[in-house]
Amino acid sequence: MRTPSRLGVMQGEFHWHQHEEQDEFFFVLDGLFRIEVEGRDTVELAPRQAFTVPAGMLHRPVVPVRSAVLMIEKPVSSPPATDPPPAGRGSSCTLHFSRA
């Protein structure tokens, strides 16, 4: 099972959305990152701060200044591991770079 990971450099307001089957983890590397969450106070993150949006929660990122953010979407439930991965093969992720 792959865990989608992205490294984004962004600025602006994004649309409201939710991920029904996965949590979304945000880790700010540089800048200022806000996450508006339905029914809750806005979460404000500075560099080296992180927040996980639980699966099913309506949210939208609002990024007032150019910011670099690592985003990881984690499945809520994973099948139990019965066997260790083959030698030399662990979990992997792909980083996608974009320019603002």
Side-chain angles (χ1 to χ4, degrees):
M1 177 182 303
R2 291 189 155 183
T3 301
S5 303
R6 298 180 306 280
L7 178 61
V9 177
M10 61 190 81
Q11 183 174 357
E13 294 183 5
F14 296 84
H15 65 278
W16 285 94
H17 65 283
Q18 62 191 33
H19 307 275
E20 289 298 332
E21 298 184 12
Q22 63 223 13
D23 295 336
E24 188 170 24
F25 173 81
F26 297 93
F27 180 78
V28 177
L29 301 166
D30 186 49
L32 176 65
F33 194 80
R34 293 184 182 122
I35 306 168
E36 293 182 354
V37 181
E38 183 179 48
R40 290 183 159 184
D41 291 338
T42 298
V43 176
E44 186 168 293
L45 302 174
R48 297 183 309 276
Q49 291 184 318
F51 182 76
T52 298
V53 176
M57 183 170 286
L58 192 62
H59 65 284
R60 78 173 186 147
V62 176
V63 190
V65 298
R66 188 173 189 262
S67 302
V69 181
L70 175 64
M71 297 162 281
I72 301 172
E73 295 174 6
K74 177 186 168 291
V76 173
S77 62
S78 300
T82 55
D83 297 314
R89 299 192 63 193
S91 61
S92 64
C93 67
T94 305
L95 296 178
H96 300 277
F97 296 89
S98 62
R99 292 187 174 174

